[in-house]
Amino acid sequence: MATEKRDTEVKTDDGSPKIKPRPIVQLGIFLISHSPVFSVIFSAAGVMALLLLPLLAKNTYISENALMPGSARSMLSHQDVSDGSKLVNDISNFRVNHDEGHGVEVQRLIGKYMLDMGAEVYYQKFQPEGNHFHPLHFFSGPASFANLGNVSCDSYGINVAGIIRAPRGDGKESIVLVTPYDFINGGDYEALSLGIANSLFSLLARVTWLSKDIVWLVADSRYGDYRPVSAWLSEYHTPSFEVSDLSKCDELNISDSFRRAGTVAAALVVKVDGRSERFEDTLSIYAEASNGQMPNLDLINVVNYLAVHRQGFYVKVEKVVSLLSSSWLKTVGEIFEAVGKLARTLNPDWKFGIPAADYLEGSATLASSLYSQALGIPTGPHGAFRDYQVDAITLKVSPRFPPGNKGRQHEFFQRGAQLLEGTIRSVNNLLEKFHQSFFLYMLTSPGKFISVGVYMIAFALLVAPLPMVAASLYIDGCTTPTNATDNSAENLKSWKWLHAAKQVFALHLLGFIVTLLPYFICQVPGEQSPTNRSIVWATTSSSLLLVTSVTIPGCSPFSSRLHGTNWTVLKSVTISAAFIGLCLMSIINFATAEIGALLLVPMCLMVRPVKPDLRSRRVKSMLRALCSMALVTIGFPVMFFAISKELLGEGLEGLSLGGEFWTWLESLWAWKSATYLYIGMVHLPCWLLCLCILFHPS
């Protein structure tokens, strides 16, 4: 019997027994050999998973039991609210009676109110910072900025800050309340936020349950909402012992002593932003910070719970309004609704599907959350706190009454201050930083979210075909007989992929240089419009591409030297580079990687030389060539930018497409968004490589 077993053993040519491959290897070989079929399956599944995300959203919940929102009765008194109303009236009177210099008077007035409540008051001067791109400072910390230009007493701001020391604390932790206010041109609605904060501050100055210090920062927003908060945080966390040149600018006759409290546990930014379009007071929550960072979900949950169930606010988050009228998205929602009803008839426990209207709302909110995180630009002043790993959100309140209505103003101050009181009381209960709930999530409504374990599935399905197709193309390209030898094994062991790798490396290096070009363009003296700068950038980049194609053969899509290259191997290395770039980007900013995968994966999978398909004149080949050209056209960054502007319903703002694109890129590098690096160092090189494949003369 043993003899029969030895006789049936499979042996190689040299007589040694052939080792049976492991199941995982067999599965890999099977996937690679059938890569076209699995590419279609995985890509369709990835898009379907993305469309299913609004259905898979879960209701939010409080993960940290110590928060206990709404468990204590509010201690806010009518006297506290009256103090807030009095501050707003005094500010209005100053603005009416003083045409010039009322900004300094308002700062003194706010400081006096804080002092009367027993707070430690100080004033911080800061200089507006210019947003200039510098490659060496791109990944630098938030405190590494340098003031640009000479210090002028005509262009600086003053923050007013007051600290209440916690009677039950040790001074090691604090909670920050920020109210941006333009002391020069502030409107009546902006002053209402000071009234809410003053009412709350008056209460917190006399309570005995505080265990964390309270810092009220009135940020001078004449130079924007973000800059004063960033300047205050920089001084708070990284004190400078050098004498500032702004010390000579002393309109308030104050010292420059900067006071500090404990480590910031959480921060709330409060703004009153115009009149509500509804018949109830509206609260908008903004949570996105730089590079897709989000605060702990528990902080949003506490505010949402108290606002809805205790104060009766209508809570909303941003959404892409143009999607609410989308007919195709409505059709998808109706299909999912019908499938859900069918599933419930089969089994009542199958809770699948939501109403089509809710699906539209959830999709529009999800698209806004995905887009805001992908941009990497903070949606409010709270973004400055996330740079220091502090959980913070911006609350924009829109009252249902005009600012001159004094009768409704008292009620509005009371409800707003009670909302902040409940939130601060919950944070005050924590003995440690927020950590129980999610940091990686997307919102489909103020009360629903999608966790990282769910939304990563769509991205994984989209990029899954890339390594399979790359391996399949590499095998096909290397097993193609060459003039030197017809031995397939020798071709597999050859180094012909090095030529393709050299092209891929050269174009990625070109992308790196193109990414740095704006720094040198901005150094050119004289005022230049965004359109002119975009033209200079495009011309310089095209010249560099021409130089690269002359230096390294095959790096230009229209180079005649592409005749000696194998387009399948070039496509294999291109897909591999795209896969690596997308996976790395998913670690830095998932939203950017998700949108990049939706754009880059179909282009890399479908692109192939268009000349053989056009010569064949068959319908299938012509459609394939048309699809390749369409995907490459849409994949061009400027073209996709224009399409996305139309989808978002924004349109061009009086500039040319190039000027609008330059302005958008300026905002990305000014905020040190990793999306800018992705566009220049991953997407643009891969697009150029796809263009080389498209015009390959094979």
Side-chain angles (χ1 to χ4, degrees), residues 150-301:
N150 296 324
V151 173
S152 172
C153 291
D154 296 330
S155 60
Y156 74 97
I158 299 178
N159 292 327
V160 185
I163 301 176
I164 295 176
R165 302 295 177 181
R168 293 181 178 270
D170 54 2
K172 292 183 178 179
E173 288 186 294
S174 64
I175 303 171
V176 179
L177 176 66
V178 181
T179 52
Y181 182 73
D182 187 348
F183 293 105
I184 304 298
N185 302 310
D188 294 332
Y189 280 110
E190 283 188 87
L192 295 181
S193 62
L194 298 179
I196 296 175
N198 190 82
S199 303
L200 174 68
F201 208 63
S202 176
L203 164 68
L204 298 177
R206 58 182 175 81
V207 298
T208 59
W209 46 260
L210 270 181
S211 61
K212 293 178 173 62
D213 297 339
I214 302 297
V215 182
W216 178 19
L217 173 67
V218 183
D220 190 351
S221 61
R222 76 183 80 174
Y223 302 113
D225 293 345
Y226 188 94
R227 173 59 186 149
V229 180
S230 176
W232 181 83
L233 280 169
S234 175
E235 180 68 19
Y236 191 90
H237 288 90
T238 55
S240 175
F241 298 100
E242 299 179 359
V243 178
S244 174
D245 292 335
L246 288 173
S247 59
K248 63 184 180 181
C249 309
D250 198 4
E251 296 181 45
L252 291 172
N253 296 318
I254 54 169
S255 62
D256 289 335
S257 60
F258 191 97
R259 298 177 182 272
R260 294 172 178 80
T263 303
V264 182
L268 298 172
V269 182
V270 181
K271 289 191 65 177
V272 178
D273 188 34
R275 190 172 179 178
S276 175
E277 298 177 354
R278 302 175 61 89
F279 295 105
E280 53 192 335
D281 296 333
T282 303
L283 176 68
S284 301
I285 300 177
Y286 297 86
E288 293 82 6
S290 58
N291 286 319
Q293 296 182 89
M294 299 287 284
N296 191 274
L297 187 58
D298 267 346
L299 182 59
I300 299 178
N301 295 341

Side-chain angles (χ1 to χ4, degrees), residues 28 52 72 91 142 191 197 206 222 260 287 327 344 368 376 430-431 434 480 540 552 584 588 617 663:
L52 284 172
I91 291 175
R206 58 182 175 81
R222 76 183 80 174
R260 294 172 178 80
S327 57
R344 281 191 293 272
S368 175
L430 290 178
L431 298 177
F434 283 100
T480 302
T540 309
I552 302 176
L584 289 176
I588 302 171
R617 300 184 180 278
T663 303

Side-chain angles (χ1 to χ4, degrees), residues 405-425:
N405 192 330
K406 302 299 181 183
R408 292 294 183 90
Q409 182 176 289
H410 188 278
E411 177 199 356
F412 178 69
F413 284 173
Q414 183 176 10
R415 294 170 62 206
Q418 285 178 348
L419 169 62
L420 298 178
E421 176 197 357
T423 306
I424 289 177
R425 192 152 194 164

